[in-house]
Short mmCIF file of all heavy atoms in Angstrom, two decimals:
data_model
loop_
_atom_site.label_atom_id
_atom_site.label_comp_id
_atom_site.label_asym_id
_atom_site.label_seq_id
_atom_site.Cartn_x
_atom_site.Cartn_y
_atom_site.Cartn_z
N VAL A 24 -6.31 13.08 -0.29
CA VAL A 24 -5.48 13.43 0.81
C VAL A 24 -6.13 13.81 1.96
O VAL A 24 -5.96 13.49 3.17
CB VAL A 24 -4.47 14.49 0.35
CG1 VAL A 24 -3.80 15.12 1.47
CG2 VAL A 24 -3.45 13.96 -0.68
N CYS A 48 -9.14 22.45 3.40
CA CYS A 48 -8.24 21.40 3.28
C CYS A 48 -7.07 21.72 2.49
O CYS A 48 -6.30 20.85 1.94
CB CYS A 48 -9.04 20.11 2.62
SG CYS A 48 -9.42 20.36 0.79
N HIS A 49 -6.71 23.05 2.49
CA HIS A 49 -5.43 23.49 1.85
C HIS A 49 -4.20 22.87 2.40
O HIS A 49 -4.07 22.76 3.62
CB HIS A 49 -5.43 24.96 2.04
CG HIS A 49 -4.10 25.68 1.77
ND1 HIS A 49 -3.65 26.72 2.47
CD2 HIS A 49 -3.33 25.48 0.68
CE1 HIS A 49 -2.42 27.07 2.01
NE2 HIS A 49 -2.27 26.30 0.80
N VAL A 50 -3.45 22.27 1.48
CA VAL A 50 -2.16 21.70 1.88
C VAL A 50 -1.03 22.23 0.93
O VAL A 50 -1.42 22.81 -0.19
CB VAL A 50 -2.11 20.19 1.81
CG1 VAL A 50 -3.08 19.57 2.79
CG2 VAL A 50 -2.42 19.63 0.34
N ILE A 51 0.15 22.17 1.36
CA ILE A 51 1.29 22.66 0.48
C ILE A 51 2.09 21.42 0.15
O ILE A 51 2.66 20.79 1.03
CB ILE A 51 2.18 23.64 1.25
CG1 ILE A 51 1.25 24.83 1.67
CG2 ILE A 51 3.33 24.10 0.41
CD1 ILE A 51 1.79 25.66 2.82
N VAL A 52 2.14 21.10 -1.19
CA VAL A 52 2.70 19.93 -1.69
C VAL A 52 4.22 20.23 -1.76
O VAL A 52 4.66 21.27 -2.14
CB VAL A 52 2.20 19.59 -3.10
CG1 VAL A 52 3.04 18.41 -3.61
CG2 VAL A 52 0.68 19.33 -3.03
N ASP A 53 5.01 19.17 -1.22
CA ASP A 53 6.50 19.36 -1.35
C ASP A 53 6.86 19.60 -2.77
O ASP A 53 6.32 19.02 -3.71
CB ASP A 53 7.12 17.99 -0.85
CG ASP A 53 8.63 18.05 -0.83
OD1 ASP A 53 9.20 17.89 -1.89
OD2 ASP A 53 9.17 18.26 0.28
N PRO A 54 7.77 20.56 -3.00
CA PRO A 54 8.12 20.89 -4.33
C PRO A 54 8.54 19.73 -5.22
O PRO A 54 8.41 19.87 -6.56
CB PRO A 54 9.29 22.00 -4.23
CG PRO A 54 8.99 22.59 -2.81
CD PRO A 54 8.41 21.32 -1.99
N THR A 55 9.16 18.77 -4.71
CA THR A 55 9.50 17.62 -5.51
C THR A 55 8.36 16.79 -5.98
O THR A 55 8.47 16.08 -7.03
CB THR A 55 10.65 16.63 -4.82
OG1 THR A 55 9.93 16.23 -3.61
CG2 THR A 55 11.83 17.40 -4.41
N TRP A 56 7.27 16.87 -5.27
CA TRP A 56 6.05 16.14 -5.77
C TRP A 56 5.15 16.88 -6.64
O TRP A 56 4.30 16.39 -7.39
CB TRP A 56 5.36 15.59 -4.47
CG TRP A 56 6.04 14.41 -3.89
CD1 TRP A 56 6.99 14.49 -2.85
CD2 TRP A 56 5.94 13.16 -4.35
NE1 TRP A 56 7.40 13.15 -2.67
CE2 TRP A 56 6.82 12.46 -3.54
CE3 TRP A 56 5.13 12.52 -5.39
CZ2 TRP A 56 6.92 10.94 -3.67
CZ3 TRP A 56 5.30 11.15 -5.57
CH2 TRP A 56 6.21 10.41 -4.74
N ALA A 57 5.03 18.23 -6.52
CA ALA A 57 4.14 19.11 -7.16
C ALA A 57 4.08 18.75 -8.65
O ALA A 57 2.94 18.65 -9.19
CB ALA A 57 4.42 20.54 -6.99
N PRO A 58 5.20 18.61 -9.43
CA PRO A 58 5.11 18.38 -10.83
C PRO A 58 4.37 16.99 -11.16
O PRO A 58 4.04 16.75 -12.36
CB PRO A 58 6.50 18.39 -11.33
CG PRO A 58 7.35 18.97 -10.27
CD PRO A 58 6.51 18.76 -8.92
N LYS A 59 4.42 16.12 -10.19
CA LYS A 59 3.81 14.70 -10.51
C LYS A 59 2.23 14.69 -10.35
O LYS A 59 1.71 13.70 -10.67
CB LYS A 59 4.52 13.78 -9.45
CG LYS A 59 5.95 13.68 -9.71
CD LYS A 59 6.62 12.79 -8.69
CE LYS A 59 8.15 12.83 -8.89
NZ LYS A 59 8.91 12.09 -7.88
N LEU A 60 1.75 15.84 -9.89
CA LEU A 60 0.26 15.83 -9.75
C LEU A 60 -0.38 16.56 -11.05
O LEU A 60 0.29 17.19 -11.63
CB LEU A 60 -0.08 16.81 -8.58
CG LEU A 60 0.45 16.40 -7.16
CD1 LEU A 60 -0.03 17.42 -6.24
CD2 LEU A 60 -0.02 15.05 -6.78
N ALA A 61 -1.62 16.11 -11.24
CA ALA A 61 -2.38 16.70 -12.32
C ALA A 61 -2.48 18.19 -12.05
O ALA A 61 -2.63 18.60 -10.82
CB ALA A 61 -3.75 15.95 -12.47
N ALA A 62 -2.60 19.01 -13.00
CA ALA A 62 -2.82 20.44 -12.83
C ALA A 62 -4.17 20.71 -12.12
O ALA A 62 -5.09 20.00 -12.40
CB ALA A 62 -2.67 21.14 -14.19
N PRO A 63 -4.19 21.68 -11.18
CA PRO A 63 -5.50 22.05 -10.53
C PRO A 63 -6.52 22.56 -11.61
O PRO A 63 -6.10 23.20 -12.69
CB PRO A 63 -5.08 23.10 -9.59
CG PRO A 63 -3.80 23.71 -10.10
CD PRO A 63 -3.11 22.64 -10.87
N GLU A 67 -10.63 24.57 -8.51
CA GLU A 67 -9.73 24.42 -7.47
C GLU A 67 -8.91 25.65 -7.33
O GLU A 67 -8.78 26.18 -6.18
CB GLU A 67 -8.86 23.21 -7.62
CG GLU A 67 -7.85 23.01 -6.53
CD GLU A 67 -6.88 21.89 -6.61
OE1 GLU A 67 -6.99 21.07 -7.65
OE2 GLU A 67 -6.09 21.72 -5.68
N GLU A 68 -8.40 26.22 -8.46
CA GLU A 68 -7.79 27.56 -8.37
C GLU A 68 -8.59 28.61 -7.76
O GLU A 68 -8.04 29.35 -7.01
CB GLU A 68 -7.31 28.00 -9.80
CG GLU A 68 -6.31 27.08 -10.38
CD GLU A 68 -4.86 27.32 -9.93
OE1 GLU A 68 -4.67 28.27 -9.13
OE2 GLU A 68 -4.07 26.77 -10.52
N LEU A 71 -8.60 27.99 -4.07
CA LEU A 71 -7.37 28.30 -3.44
C LEU A 71 -7.14 29.76 -3.26
O LEU A 71 -6.39 30.14 -2.32
CB LEU A 71 -6.25 27.68 -4.39
CG LEU A 71 -5.98 26.17 -4.16
CD1 LEU A 71 -5.05 25.78 -5.33
CD2 LEU A 71 -5.47 25.89 -2.76
N ASP A 72 -7.78 30.57 -4.04
CA ASP A 72 -7.58 32.02 -3.95
C ASP A 72 -8.13 32.44 -2.49
O ASP A 72 -7.86 33.51 -2.02
CB ASP A 72 -8.37 32.74 -5.04
CG ASP A 72 -7.68 32.69 -6.29
OD1 ASP A 72 -6.42 32.46 -6.30
OD2 ASP A 72 -8.27 33.03 -7.36
N ALA A 74 -7.63 30.65 0.33
CA ALA A 74 -6.85 29.96 1.32
C ALA A 74 -5.86 30.97 1.99
O ALA A 74 -5.32 31.83 1.25
CB ALA A 74 -6.14 28.87 0.69
N PHE A 75 -5.68 30.76 3.23
CA PHE A 75 -4.69 31.57 3.93
C PHE A 75 -3.34 30.89 3.83
O PHE A 75 -3.19 29.76 3.83
CB PHE A 75 -5.01 31.55 5.47
CG PHE A 75 -4.11 32.35 6.33
CD1 PHE A 75 -4.23 33.72 6.50
CD2 PHE A 75 -3.13 31.69 7.00
CE1 PHE A 75 -3.28 34.44 7.16
CE2 PHE A 75 -2.12 32.40 7.68
CZ PHE A 75 -2.21 33.80 7.84
N GLY A 76 -2.31 31.72 3.60
CA GLY A 76 -0.94 31.21 3.59
C GLY A 76 -0.62 30.44 2.27
O GLY A 76 0.17 29.58 2.19
N LEU A 77 -1.22 30.91 1.25
CA LEU A 77 -1.04 30.39 -0.16
C LEU A 77 0.46 30.31 -0.53
O LEU A 77 1.05 31.31 -0.40
CB LEU A 77 -1.95 31.06 -1.12
CG LEU A 77 -2.34 30.42 -2.44
CD1 LEU A 77 -3.17 29.17 -2.19
CD2 LEU A 77 -3.07 31.32 -3.33
N GLU A 78 0.86 29.22 -1.12
CA GLU A 78 2.25 29.03 -1.68
C GLU A 78 2.14 28.60 -3.03
O GLU A 78 1.07 28.13 -3.55
CB GLU A 78 3.07 28.19 -0.78
CG GLU A 78 3.31 28.90 0.59
CD GLU A 78 4.35 28.02 1.49
OE1 GLU A 78 5.18 27.27 0.86
OE2 GLU A 78 4.27 28.22 2.69
N LYS A 79 3.27 28.59 -3.72
CA LYS A 79 3.28 28.13 -5.14
C LYS A 79 2.78 26.80 -5.40
O LYS A 79 2.21 26.44 -6.40
CB LYS A 79 4.81 28.32 -5.62
CG LYS A 79 4.90 27.99 -7.11
CD LYS A 79 6.37 28.23 -7.58
CE LYS A 79 6.48 27.84 -9.10
NZ LYS A 79 7.91 27.90 -9.53
N THR A 80 3.02 25.89 -4.42
CA THR A 80 2.72 24.46 -4.54
C THR A 80 1.38 24.09 -3.67
O THR A 80 1.10 22.99 -3.44
CB THR A 80 3.81 23.51 -4.17
OG1 THR A 80 4.13 23.70 -2.88
CG2 THR A 80 5.00 23.65 -5.11
N SER A 81 0.59 25.17 -3.37
CA SER A 81 -0.67 24.88 -2.64
C SER A 81 -1.64 24.20 -3.51
O SER A 81 -1.78 24.45 -4.71
CB SER A 81 -1.23 26.28 -2.13
OG SER A 81 -0.52 26.85 -1.22
N ARG A 82 -2.33 23.22 -2.88
CA ARG A 82 -3.44 22.41 -3.38
C ARG A 82 -4.47 22.20 -2.44
O ARG A 82 -4.27 22.44 -1.17
CB ARG A 82 -2.94 21.10 -4.05
CG ARG A 82 -1.87 21.24 -5.02
CD ARG A 82 -2.41 21.83 -6.39
NE ARG A 82 -3.56 21.10 -6.89
CZ ARG A 82 -3.51 20.06 -7.83
NH1 ARG A 82 -2.26 19.76 -8.27
NH2 ARG A 82 -4.58 19.43 -8.23
N LEU A 83 -5.67 21.75 -2.91
CA LEU A 83 -6.73 21.32 -1.96
C LEU A 83 -6.68 19.81 -1.77
O LEU A 83 -6.52 19.10 -2.74
CB LEU A 83 -8.06 21.67 -2.55
CG LEU A 83 -8.37 23.24 -2.62
CD1 LEU A 83 -9.79 23.44 -3.12
CD2 LEU A 83 -8.14 23.92 -1.35
N GLY A 84 -6.59 19.42 -0.49
CA GLY A 84 -6.36 18.02 -0.24
C GLY A 84 -7.52 17.07 -0.91
O GLY A 84 -7.22 15.87 -1.12
N CYS A 85 -8.77 17.73 -0.97
CA CYS A 85 -9.78 16.91 -1.51
C CYS A 85 -9.67 16.60 -2.98
O CYS A 85 -10.27 15.78 -3.53
CB CYS A 85 -11.20 17.58 -1.29
SG CYS A 85 -11.36 19.12 -2.19
N GLN A 86 -8.73 17.33 -3.61
CA GLN A 86 -8.55 17.21 -5.13
C GLN A 86 -7.31 16.28 -5.43
O GLN A 86 -7.15 16.07 -6.61
CB GLN A 86 -8.49 18.61 -5.74
CG GLN A 86 -9.72 19.49 -5.54
CD GLN A 86 -10.99 18.73 -6.15
OE1 GLN A 86 -10.99 18.47 -7.35
NE2 GLN A 86 -11.83 18.45 -5.28
N ILE A 87 -6.55 15.82 -4.53
CA ILE A 87 -5.48 14.98 -4.74
C ILE A 87 -5.87 13.62 -4.48
O ILE A 87 -6.04 13.31 -3.18
CB ILE A 87 -4.21 15.46 -3.88
CG1 ILE A 87 -3.81 16.86 -4.23
CG2 ILE A 87 -3.03 14.49 -4.18
CD1 ILE A 87 -2.76 17.50 -3.25
N LEU A 96 4.28 10.59 -1.41
CA LEU A 96 3.86 11.95 -1.39
C LEU A 96 4.09 12.63 -0.02
O LEU A 96 3.78 12.03 1.05
CB LEU A 96 2.41 12.05 -1.73
CG LEU A 96 1.76 13.41 -1.79
CD1 LEU A 96 2.25 14.30 -2.83
CD2 LEU A 96 0.24 13.24 -1.96
N VAL A 97 4.61 13.93 0.02
CA VAL A 97 4.74 14.67 1.19
C VAL A 97 3.96 15.97 0.97
O VAL A 97 4.02 16.64 -0.04
CB VAL A 97 6.32 15.00 1.44
CG1 VAL A 97 6.43 15.86 2.64
CG2 VAL A 97 7.07 13.69 1.50
N VAL A 98 3.16 16.26 2.02
CA VAL A 98 2.42 17.48 2.13
C VAL A 98 2.61 18.22 3.43
O VAL A 98 2.75 17.50 4.42
CB VAL A 98 0.90 17.42 1.71
CG1 VAL A 98 0.67 16.88 0.30
CG2 VAL A 98 0.19 16.55 2.80
N ARG A 99 2.63 19.45 3.50
CA ARG A 99 2.74 20.25 4.66
C ARG A 99 1.44 20.99 4.98
O ARG A 99 0.80 21.45 4.00
CB ARG A 99 3.90 21.34 4.48
CG ARG A 99 4.16 22.09 5.76
CD ARG A 99 5.44 22.81 5.58
NE ARG A 99 5.75 23.52 4.32
CZ ARG A 99 5.32 24.74 3.97
NH1 ARG A 99 4.75 25.52 4.90
NH2 ARG A 99 5.62 25.22 2.79
N LEU A 100 1.11 20.96 6.31
CA LEU A 100 -0.10 21.63 6.66
C LEU A 100 0.32 23.16 6.78
O LEU A 100 1.26 23.44 7.47
CB LEU A 100 -0.65 21.06 7.98
CG LEU A 100 -0.93 19.56 7.96
CD1 LEU A 100 -1.46 19.11 9.27
CD2 LEU A 100 -1.98 19.32 6.85
N PRO A 101 -0.52 24.10 6.22
CA PRO A 101 -0.29 25.56 6.30
C PRO A 101 -0.45 26.01 7.78
O PRO A 101 -1.32 25.53 8.43
CB PRO A 101 -1.08 26.18 5.27
CG PRO A 101 -2.19 25.23 5.23
CD PRO A 101 -1.77 23.78 5.41
#
Side-chain angles (χ1 to χ4, degrees):
V24 167
C48 65
H49 168 220
V50 295
I51 301 158
V52 177
D53 184 278
T55 61
W56 283 96
K59 299 175 184 179
L60 301 178
E67 181 180 359
E68 291 278 3
L71 280 168
D72 287 342
F75 180 82
L77 200 62
E78 295 188 20
K79 185 178 179 182
T80 60
S81 289
R82 295 293 302 266
L83 296 181
C85 67
Q86 297 302 296
I87 303 170
L96 177 67
V97 177
V98 300
R99 183 168 41 92
L100 303 178

